[in-house]
Amino acid sequence: MSVIQNVPGLRRFPVGPLWLVLPAVALLAVFFLFPMGRLFLLGVQDPATGAFTGEHYSRVFDTSVYWRILAITFRIAILTALFSVLLGYPLALWLSRMDSRRQALIALLVLLPFWTSYLVKTFAWMILLGNRGVLNTLFMDVGLIERPLRLMYNEFGVIIGMVHAMMPLAVLTMLPVMNGIDQRLALAAGTMGASRSQRFWLVYFPLSVPGAAAAGLLAFVTSLGFFIVPAFLGGRGQTMLAQAIITQVQELVNWSFAAVLASLLVITALASIWVYNKLFGLSVISGAESDDLPKRTSLLRTGGQRLLRFMAWVSAPFDRFRSPDGITNKKVSIYPLLALAFLVAPILVVFPIAFTSSNSLQFPPPGYSLRWFEQYLTSPVWISATLRSFGVAFATAFFATVLGGLAALALARSKSLWNGPIFALILAPMVVPRIVIAVGLFYLMAQMGLVATDAGLVIGHTLLAIPYCFITIGAVLKNYDWRLNQAAETLGAGRFTIMRRITLPLLRGGVVSAGLFAFVTSFDELTIAIFISGGLKTTLPKQMWDDMFLQLNPTLAAVSVVVLAIVTVILLVAQKIQK
Amino acid sequence: MTTGTGESEIVLEGLSKRYGTFTALEPTSLSVKEGEFLTLLGPSGSGKTTLLQMISGLVDPSAGRLTVNGEDWTHRPVNQRGMGLVFQHYALFPHMTVAENVSFPLQMRKLPAADISAQVEETLRKVQLDRFSHRFPKELSGGQQQRVALARCFVFRPKIILMDEPLGALDKALREHMQLEIRRLHKEYGTTVIYVTHDQEEALVMSDRICVMNHAKVEQLGAPHQIYSDPETVFSATFIGHSNVLKGTREAADDNWATVRTANGTFSGRYTARDKATQDVALVVRPEQMRVGPAPSSEFEGLRGRLSELVYLGSETRLLLTLADGTNIMLRHDPAAGAMPSIGEEIEVHWLKSLARVVA
Ligand SMILES: Nc1ncnc2c1ncn2[C@@H]1O[C@H](COP(=O)(O)OP(=O)(O)O)[C@@H](O)[C@H]1O
Ligand SMILES: [Mg+2]
């Protein structure tokens, strides 16, 4: 194999191709790093004099309410991560053993809930879990229970909603790792006399651990900053940190406290990532190639191996229930189908409600009508929110794709020492809790007069979408054959012709799906919209959020159906193009 | 074989490449004549690709000068050199059909559409791919892809074509077929070709001249028969064809002859080493020049050894002899010379002194 010996076009830029990341880095520096820093400072400064003080921190820690909130946030985040990984692992395993065509098709059932907005999902759970919700009605009708069970406004409701929200992320994080595991290794172990359990626990499972750990980390970090699910499905005892931050900013206008809470959130998130990196390395999450050996202390290693041998021993008696070859399981698997149903079915409940003729969320609907769609389409508030969401999402898709794509192009070709820090900066908006980004942005944009402007929203959403675009386009670039550029150059093409005729057409799939993902990210985005979109002119998710607080009504179901339809179409288009 | 007819077209003066402290190519000087087929031959990592890419402009030389037709081209941009370059794995544009791939260089030269399609058609016919013009590269076999790569290169009639192990990915039969095809196109278009390979047979078949490279240096430059019969270094002697090597020190020498003292005796031969300063020399004798039996006259020299192995190759049988100091010698068994000796037997071999070479 010939290695790329040199980079055409590079020689003429003495600084290398790294200058292409400048737009993305500049945007992130001004609207992400800077407000983060400001927010942190607010937490350690006296609001009047600006002098440094530890007063806010000590006041937070002196109040038992905040300790409680902190503990609850941790508890919920850990439980969510745990269940998401445990329930998602077998599903991911099942998917990873399919051939790639089937896998792509069935993975759509995971991608759809992944991209469905948290608001729609939460709304669906409210329909399901309510006192007179679908489940209680069903249980009472069959005579299972006499009085309605309390399924929400408690920890159960929060956890089920959170796990439903995070499981797709967990599955989609584990799947590539499992796809990368050479299936022949287990076969080889079999030829050496390993039983089915031994093959799984001693060979397959250890190889899949980095993926499972990454899934747990992402689910945990995302859950830390969550507020939608606990706000609607939890009771007062399930108030999470992000909700407390919103209250501090919007109701109490106590920036110092909000800053302290936000800093705690960020510190926790970064600390978990640090621990993960110490144990596993970040390559699974970032998608970067890594030749590093697993970093593990020998104690952890031997302990882990002992545990795995124990697991193999414990599960050995169940081997005979499985197919004898132990690799392919020809029997229909019940669990993955149940898991897929858990992910998809709750969302579908919005459909009958959207077409109900009743004024309530009654299930099953007493009759069907289109009145709620009519209501939606004739409501100036809903329509203007929809149009605004579309406009902002289009602009976000454009800017995020261009900035993220250029950054991916630059980092793919650069060998600079700056690559690492730039890489971290570009991915940072994905791991810093959104609520913190939103609060920091609100503080900055209030001073710049960007609150309640479309520009403010587009900037905020672009920040969030850049990491997705960067990763999507970076993945395509990884398989890009750079010798094609050399070939085109020797055939007489200049740099821009090469870009136009060779590079862009070959990256088209990645670029278009990056744009679509950015579009969906913005279209579904609530957190930043809560702070930046302003009171009167809102976006679709913000309007849903407000309505869900005021009064649950079937219009919300009709809107959910519209949102679902749009997201589904976009996903299908992206899937088609990526092939 | 066509030999270069014109003036020196490409001239390298002290061209070298360093990556940090690592030298990928020592200062190299050579010239290539118009219409010549020059092959860079050497093991992997010897600097062939580096040298070729500096000529193409894809790699910037660290030092030295490159002139083409008397003009300094050392730092000329790649896309203004008009050289054709054929890559090892073809580097066909996967999103373009065969015809579109082959049109690409003509479009870059802004030819009228009618001329483009005429020339593309003609070139595809020459490589017998006219029926495949609407296929995508993925839909072609390796050999067909290779021919598209050749067509894409020849279509714009570059005066110089550089090829970097273009046949490396093909199987043996297809490789031999494509070797002839490349020779044919080379003759037909009168193109100057610089060709990289690590396969010595391929180099012998195709080249007007071969440039043997090793450890980032040119070992020897000459016509195939010249390199085969008069190697200058042990590396040249062993990399191209097989040679029996007896290392030793130089005893006496004039311009043409030298005597070497080795652990197995003192021998003499034609003194072909380029580096005449060094005392560390070696006597090399090709297997086919050795015969079994005692030296019949003073025109010959010989030595004794124990027959350690017989290698049957179909068309011939080779004898492997182990000398007193453990050195191995290989020679052909000549059926006319009598019965096959048996393993373990002590035998004598000899060769014509004038066929032996003393190299550095
Ligand atoms: N971009 C580069 N950076 C560092 N070393 C290189 C680079 N390109 C080539 N080399 C080194 O230069 C030497 C010669 O390489 P090359 O010209 O590709 O050899 P060949 O084509 O004969 O196999 C090799 O040792 C290779 O590793
Ligand atoms: Mg090479």
Side-chain angles (χ1 to χ4, degrees):
Chain A
M1 282 294 291
S2 79
V3 194
I4 304 166
Q5 306 269 337
N6 197 287
V7 180
L10 202 151
R11 273 163 285 130
R12 275 153 259 151
F13 294 109
V15 289
L18 215 50
W19 64 278
L20 289 172
V21 302
L22 273 186
V25 166
L27 184 82
L28 289 168
V30 176
F31 291 101
F32 176 73
L33 276 189
F34 176 62
M36 288 294 114
R38 287 273 292 278
L39 203 56
F40 180 75
L41 282 181
L42 280 177
V44 293
Q45 276 177 327
D46 186 290
T49 64
F52 285 105
T53 168
E55 181 197 350
H56 311 306
Y57 276 85
S58 53
R59 270 178 52 209
V60 164
F61 286 123
D62 284 345
T63 324
S64 66
V65 177
Y66 291 110
W67 277 112
R68 263 233 332 272
I69 290 179
L70 218 57
I72 287 164
T73 305
F74 259 93
R75 183 184 157 81
I76 292 178
I78 286 175
L79 286 176
T80 303
L82 197 68
F83 282 120
S84 302
V85 173
L86 282 182
L87 298 178
Y89 188 94
L91 179 58
L93 185 63
W94 180 67
L95 283 169
S96 76
R97 292 187 175 176
M98 293 176 181
D99 62 78
S100 56
R101 281 176 67 104
R102 235 172 88 107
Q103 186 186 88
L105 208 64
I106 298 197
L108 273 178
L109 294 178
V110 183
L111 279 167
L112 185 66
F114 178 73
W115 285 110
T116 302
S117 82
Y118 295 128
L119 276 171
V120 171
K121 282 187 274 198
T122 308
F123 177 64
W125 279 110
M126 293 175 83
I127 299 174
L128 284 168
L129 300 179
N131 254 359
R132 276 180 291 159
V134 176
L135 290 181
N136 272 323
T137 314
L138 205 74
F139 291 159
M140 285 199 285
D141 283 355
V142 299
L144 215 64
I145 51 174
E146 276 168 24
R147 265 178 299 152
L149 288 174
R150 202 171 155 73
L151 296 175
M152 59 185 221
Y153 305 130
N154 55 17
E155 193 173 42
F156 174 80
V158 175
I159 295 290
I160 201 167
M162 295 277 282
V163 171
H164 181 250
M166 288 300 136
M167 212 173 111
L169 175 65
V171 172
L172 294 175
T173 309
M174 289 186 273
L175 189 55
V177 175
M178 291 180 174
N179 279 339
I181 297 176
D182 189 344
Q183 303 274 349
R184 291 170 309 170
L185 292 178
L187 275 178
T191 65
M192 297 169 210
S195 72
R196 192 191 153 80
S197 316
Q198 286 170 324
R199 264 173 278 169
F200 178 77
W201 288 109
L202 303 181
V203 179
Y204 190 88
F205 183 76
L207 291 171
S208 70
V209 162
L217 175 74
L218 288 180
F220 175 73
V221 169
T222 314
S223 304
L224 277 181
F226 233 62
F227 61 92
I228 301 174
V229 174
F232 291 111
L233 296 179
R236 204 182 302 179
Q238 283 79 43
T239 304
M240 288 177 73
L241 206 47
Q243 291 167 273
I245 295 176
I246 295 179
T247 312
Q248 291 295 337
V249 173
Q250 290 202 321
E251 286 164 32
L252 309 175
V253 201
N254 186 345
W255 277 100
S256 308
F257 255 43
V260 170
L261 298 178
S263 303
L264 289 177
L265 206 50
V266 173
I267 289 165
T268 314
L270 293 184
S272 348
I273 292 167
W274 183 80
V275 169
Y276 176 88
N277 185 36
K278 277 286 154 217
L279 290 179
F280 303 103
L282 279 175
S283 62
V284 172
I285 292 178
S286 60
E289 302 277 356
S290 148
D291 296 327
D292 295 349
L293 291 169
K295 293 177 211 151
R296 256 176 280 179
T297 62
S298 59
L299 198 67
L300 201 66
R301 234 181 108 72
T302 44
Q305 284 170 345
R306 210 165 288 161
L307 181 70
L308 291 171
R309 275 198 292 275
F310 176 73
M311 292 304 295
W313 178 73
V314 166
S315 59
F318 300 100
D319 280 0
R320 61 205 166 93
F321 298 119
R322 294 312 204 112
S323 61
D325 71 347
I327 298 304
T328 55
N329 192 1
K330 290 274 155 50
K331 278 179 286 185
V332 185
S333 320
I334 301 290
Y335 176 78
L337 299 181
L338 284 179
L340 284 177
F342 169 67
L343 290 181
V344 178
I347 301 171
L348 299 181
V349 81
V350 300
F351 281 83
I353 304 294
F355 292 96
T356 187
S357 59
S358 156
N359 277 332
S360 70
L361 302 181
Q362 188 186 345
F363 187 89
Y368 292 96
S369 80
L370 288 175
R371 57 188 282 210
W372 301 109
F373 285 95
E374 221 178 291
Q375 176 105 354
Y376 163 71
L377 288 171
T378 54
S379 151
V381 177
W382 279 114
I383 291 302
S384 89
T386 309
L387 291 180
R388 191 167 189 220
S389 276
F390 262 104
V392 169
F394 269 120
T396 300
F398 175 76
F399 288 114
T401 307
V402 171
L403 298 189
L406 289 180
L409 201 60
L411 286 197
R413 315 236 45 190
S414 155
K415 293 202 178 90
S416 153
L417 284 174
W418 287 97
N419 281 13
I422 290 176
F423 198 79
L425 175 65
I426 290 176
L427 293 186
M430 216 166 62
V431 289
V432 172
R434 270 189 197 185
I435 181 74
V436 180
I437 302 178
V439 170
L441 214 50
F442 180 48
Y443 192 83
L444 177 72
M445 287 190 168
Q447 292 174 330
M448 297 172 76
L450 281 172
V451 170
T453 63
D454 288 338
L457 272 177
V458 170
I459 289 172
H461 288 179
T462 303
L463 286 182
L464 298 183
I466 279 179
Y468 289 107
C469 297
F470 176 78
I471 289 177
T472 310
I473 297 175
V476 186
L477 279 173
K478 202 185 276 178
N479 297 324
Y480 184 76
D481 182 359
W482 291 101
R483 288 173 318 133
L484 296 177
N485 288 25
Q486 298 191 334
E489 208 178 4
T490 63
L491 295 173
R495 203 178 331 131
F496 289 104
T497 312
I498 294 176
M499 190 64 145
R500 192 171 55 81
R501 296 281 313 270
I502 313 293
T503 312
L504 272 183
L506 283 172
L507 297 183
R508 200 193 52 173
V511 170
V512 173
S513 29
L516 292 173
F517 289 149
F519 184 93
V520 177
T521 303
S522 163
F523 195 71
D524 274 354
E525 208 290 322
L526 173 65
T527 320
I528 286 181
I530 285 182
F531 291 96
I532 307 293
S533 71
L536 294 175
K537 273 171 59 187
T538 64
T539 64
L540 202 51
K542 174 71 179 358
Q543 184 63 38
M544 284 186 77
W545 165 261
D546 290 343
D547 254 37
M548 277 165 76
F549 266 119
L550 284 177
Q551 150 98 80
L552 287 184
N553 56 62
T555 315
L556 282 167
V559 176
S560 297
V561 166
V562 171
V563 171
L564 270 177
I566 292 168
V567 172
T568 308
V569 166
I570 287 176
L571 264 185
L572 290 175
V573 171
Q575 184 94 357
K576 190 133 205 110
I577 284 169
Q578 270 179 334
K579 259 185 243 152
Chain B
M1 271 184 206
T2 51
T3 355
T5 48
E7 295 294 298
S8 286
E9 193 179 19
I10 307 170
V11 179
L12 278 57
E13 295 163 68
L15 212 60
S16 71
K17 181 68 193 177
R18 307 173 66 83
Y19 291 105
T21 57
F22 178 80
T23 305
L25 188 72
E26 302 273 1
T28 297
S29 302
L30 58 87
S31 54
V32 187
K33 291 201 184 76
E34 200 177 327
E36 189 179 19
F37 197 117
L38 176 79
T39 298
L40 308 179
L41 173 66
S44 176
S46 55
K48 308 179 298 288
T49 298
T50 304
L51 177 53
L52 198 75
Q53 296 215 330
M54 285 197 291
I55 298 173
S56 74
L58 288 172
V59 164
D60 243 5
S62 304
R65 217 162 88 99
L66 166 73
T67 50
V68 175
N69 292 323
E71 275 179 62
D72 187 339
W73 276 29
T74 319
H75 298 291
R76 194 183 175 97
V78 182
N79 55 1
Q80 287 165 30
R81 294 193 185 203
M83 294 180 181
L85 183 54
V86 180
F87 292 77
Q88 178 168 11
H89 292 278
Y90 324 136
L92 298 178
F93 304 127
H95 59 307
M96 297 184 192
T97 62
V98 168
E100 285 164 354
N101 263 285
V102 179
S103 313
F104 188 86
L106 301 179
Q107 289 167 353
M108 293 302 110
R109 284 161 181 77
K110 303 204 166 54
L111 261 61
D115 295 2
I116 291 183
S117 61
Q119 287 184 35
V120 168
E121 204 173 314
E122 186 205 317
T123 313
L124 284 178
R125 217 177 12 250
K126 284 231 171 75
V127 295
Q128 293 128 42
L129 278 177
D130 36 340
R131 286 185 300 123
F132 298 97
S133 63
H134 293 294
R135 294 237 190 136
F136 285 98
K138 265 204 301 272
E139 303 170 310
L140 299 176
S141 71
Q144 288 167 334
Q145 291 184 22
Q146 176 56 60
R147 277 183 278 158
V148 178
L150 289 177
R152 190 177 68 177
C153 187
F154 279 98
V155 72
F156 69 100
R157 309 279 168 93
K159 300 198 62 190
I160 300 165
I161 291 185
L162 313 174
M163 302 194 193
D164 194 350
E165 310 210 14
L167 308 182
L170 303 182
D171 62 49
K172 190 165 158 45
L174 201 52
R175 209 159 62 220
E176 281 168 4
H177 175 74
M178 291 305 300
Q179 287 169 0
L180 295 178
E181 191 112 349
I182 291 174
R183 283 295 302 181
R184 186 174 64 74
L185 288 167
H186 160 67
K187 278 187 207 158
E188 198 166 319
Y189 288 100
T191 323
T192 310
V193 176
I194 304 182
Y195 188 95
V196 166
T197 183
H198 61 257
D199 177 345
Q200 47 117 348
E201 239 174 88
E202 189 164 294
L204 291 173
V205 171
M206 300 184 74
S207 322
D208 295 327
R209 280 194 303 161
I210 296 176
C211 173
V212 184
M213 298 183 65
N214 190 31
H215 292 317
K217 276 203 308 266
V218 173
E219 289 269 339
Q220 187 169 4
L221 179 62
H225 63 89
Q226 196 180 347
I227 291 184
Y228 190 85
S229 68
D230 297 334
E232 290 172 354
T233 63
V234 173
F235 180 82
S236 287
T238 50
F239 196 73
I240 296 169
H242 189 88
S243 284
N244 294 309
V245 178
L246 297 168
K247 292 200 169 151
T249 42
R250 195 184 63 196
E251 289 258 284
D254 60 28
D255 269 357
N256 285 320
W257 279 92
T259 313
V260 191
R261 184 144 52 103
T262 78
N264 299 288
T266 301
F267 306 103
S268 56
R270 281 252 323 272
Y271 192 23
T272 51
R274 195 173 24 154
D275 178 7
K276 295 239 159 53
T278 179
Q279 299 282 337
D280 294 327
V281 294
L283 184 87
V284 298
V285 186
R286 298 276 179 194
E288 63 269 24
Q289 290 156 353
M290 287 190 166
R291 296 279 181 278
V292 176
S297 73
S298 62
E299 298 286 288
F300 294 85
E301 279 177 342
L303 45 72
R304 307 175 66 83
R306 185 177 303 278
L307 183 65
S308 54
E309 217 171 312
L310 288 169
V311 184
Y312 177 65
L313 288 175
S315 59
E316 65 183 63
T317 301
R318 292 199 182 157
L319 312 180
L320 207 63
L321 231 56
T322 304
L323 306 186
D325 68 334
T327 310
N328 283 320
I329 293 271
M330 190 160 74
L331 66 152
R332 285 185 187 163
H333 172 67
D334 181 3
M340 185 79 74
S342 54
I343 289 183
E345 204 176 313
E346 180 96 356
I347 51 179
E348 267 185 286
V349 297
H350 65 274
W351 60 87
L352 199 56
K353 266 199 289 200
S354 62
L355 293 178
R357 299 288 178 261
V358 177
V359 303

